[in-house]
């Protein structure tokens, strides 16, 4: 399948729930399967890889762009999170996305909205220790988007590995019948995981950032987590939230029954929080 859409192809945009439902009905009218990629916008090549993969699995692809306030604490970067709707839609059109859903806050959380999903299991620890509101916000918005779009398949990046595990648990527990597909992390040539928040890095910080991936590989190859933390601190990382080795399936502690392991990390470089993970 080609990586670019035909010149005559046009990605449709919708902003309201009635318009989305009408568009989804149209996409399904010929029996087409629907792949879905939920995003917060500021799209990069990692997002486009998710769309391409969804296209390889399904007849039609829907992408949502919504900066979800429920997953941001009052001290976090909701207001300054990068936004570029025109650029995002152009990128999506270039890879053949069929429909872009661009809801506003009042569409997803209308007046008198009072529900929120609380997750346990893979949502406990790691990110939750530092962003306790995060996975409740993720689970709530993803559940709403899944019910609105009604996809057959949804594709997520493994860079947000704990989030992927939480979404899989959500879909399993609520019998949503959606196939959740994880795509390996897309990286720059120097190993830095692609992220919308990389735009916050100064040139000096950008030169340091790949050391996170290097440190994870060093641990995987036999080095200690403590030595890696010390090296990252010397390199200029201001704060290490966590570097942890976990069961890749449950995200719990390693046990004799563990079949695969995942090394996960979150660190601050200047004012930017970077996360990464690798199989270990």
């Amino acid at each position: 399948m080609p990586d670019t859409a035909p010149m005559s192809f046009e990605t449709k945009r919708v902003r309201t729930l009635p318009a989305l439902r009408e568009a989804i009905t149209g996409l399904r009218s010929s029996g087409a399967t629907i792949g879905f990629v939920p995003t917060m916008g500021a799209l990069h090549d990692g997002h486009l890889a998710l769309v391409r993969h969804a296209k390889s699995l399904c007849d039609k692809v829907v992408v949502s762009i919504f900066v979800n306030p429920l997953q941001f604490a009052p001290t976090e970067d909701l207001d300054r999170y990068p936004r570029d709707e025109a650029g995002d839609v152009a990128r999506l059109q270039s890879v053949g996305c069929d429909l872009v859903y661009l809801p506003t806050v009042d569409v997803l959380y209308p007046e008198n909205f009072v529900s929120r999903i609380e997750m346990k299991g893979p949502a406990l620890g790691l990110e939750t220790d530092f962003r306790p509101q995060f996975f409740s916000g993720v689970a709530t918005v993803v559940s709403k988007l899944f019910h609105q779009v009604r996809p057959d398949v949804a594709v997520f990046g493994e860079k947000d590995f704990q989030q992927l595990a939480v979404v899989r648990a959500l879909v399993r527990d609520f019998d949503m019948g959606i196939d959740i597909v994880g795509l390996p992390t897309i990286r720059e040539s120097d190993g830095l995981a692609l992220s919308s928040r990389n735009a916050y890095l100064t040139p000096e910080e950008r030169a340091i950032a790949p050391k996170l991936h290097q440190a994870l590989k060093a641990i995987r190859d036999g080095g200690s987590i403590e030595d890696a933390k010390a090296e990252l601190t010397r390199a200029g990382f201001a704060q290490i939230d966590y570097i942890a080795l976990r069961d890749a399936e449950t995200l719990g502690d390693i046990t004799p029954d563990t079949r695969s392991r995942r090394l996960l990390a979150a660190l601050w470089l200047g004012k930017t929080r970077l996360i990464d993970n690798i199989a270990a």
Side-chain angles (χ1 to χ4, degrees):
M1 180 175 294
D3 284 346
T4 57
M7 292 296 292
S8 59
F9 182 87
E10 183 175 356
T11 297
K12 183 174 182 178
R13 308 184 204 189
V14 296
R15 300 181 186 276
T16 68
L17 187 51
L20 174 69
R21 286 172 173 161
E22 181 180 358
I24 293 293
T25 298
L27 292 179
R28 286 202 182 276
S29 61
S30 60
T33 55
I34 293 179
F36 180 44
V37 180
T39 81
M40 294 208 303
L43 304 184
H44 49 66
D45 286 347
H47 295 108
L48 300 186
L50 300 179
V51 177
R52 291 188 183 100
H53 194 61
K55 283 182 68 66
S56 75
L57 299 173
C58 297
D59 301 310
K60 303 292 183 180
V61 175
V62 179
V63 173
S64 64
I65 297 176
F66 179 67
V67 182
N68 178 32
L70 291 192
Q71 64 196 64
F72 288 80
T75 57
E76 293 181 340
D77 59 342
L78 174 61
D79 291 336
R80 74 184 185 109
Y81 193 86
R83 293 165 171 85
D84 179 16
E85 179 181 313
D88 287 346
V89 173
R91 293 182 186 95
L92 291 172
Q93 181 158 316
S94 75
V95 293
C97 171
D98 297 278
L99 178 66
V100 184
Y101 181 35
L102 298 150
T104 55
V105 173
D106 63 317
V107 169
L108 279 178
Y109 307 125
E111 186 178 1
N112 297 323
F113 182 84
V114 296
S115 300
R116 191 149 179 164
I117 295 175
E118 298 293 338
M119 299 291 295
K120 295 184 179 180
L124 298 179
L126 301 173
E127 286 296 293
T128 305
D129 290 341
F130 298 89
R131 308 177 70 195
Q133 80 295 333
F134 182 69
F135 287 121
S136 173
V138 167
T140 301
V141 75
V142 167
S143 179
K144 290 214 67 172
L145 290 169
F146 282 171
H147 281 95
Q148 292 177 355
V149 176
R150 296 180 289 116
D152 300 285
V153 175
V155 183
F156 291 80
E158 288 187 353
K159 183 184 78 70
D160 299 288
F161 195 83
Q162 189 175 11
Q163 174 178 272
L164 175 60
V166 168
V167 171
R168 283 178 168 148
L170 175 75
V171 168
R172 178 199 67 214
D173 290 351
F174 286 92
D175 306 310
M176 293 183 183
I178 301 168
D179 185 14
I180 303 301
V181 176
L183 193 69
T185 302
I186 306 299
R187 300 182 180 277
E188 300 281 7
S189 59
D190 58 9
L192 177 64
L194 294 189
S195 170
S196 300
R197 287 187 170 94
N198 290 350
Y200 299 159
L201 296 169
T202 67
E204 294 78 11
E205 291 165 349
R206 175 62 186 80
I208 297 169
K211 294 184 181 298
L212 171 54
H213 184 52
Q214 294 167 15
L216 294 181
K217 291 193 294 182
I219 297 169
R220 180 190 62 192
D221 295 341
S224 74
I225 289 178
E226 291 309 312
D227 286 347
K229 287 180 176 180
E231 180 60 31
L232 289 165
T233 300
R234 285 193 293 270
F237 285 84
Q239 177 181 321
I240 299 172
D241 284 354
Y242 61 82
I243 300 178
L245 184 63
R246 295 294 179 90
D247 184 302
E249 296 181 13
T250 67
L251 291 188
D253 292 334
I254 302 297
T255 72
D257 295 328
T258 294
R259 294 183 294 181
S260 59
R261 307 187 305 172
R262 203 82 184 182
L263 190 59
L264 306 100
L267 300 88
W268 288 86
L269 186 55
K271 296 181 179 180
T272 305
R273 190 173 187 265
L274 302 178
I275 65 171
D276 202 349
N277 67 88
I278 60 172

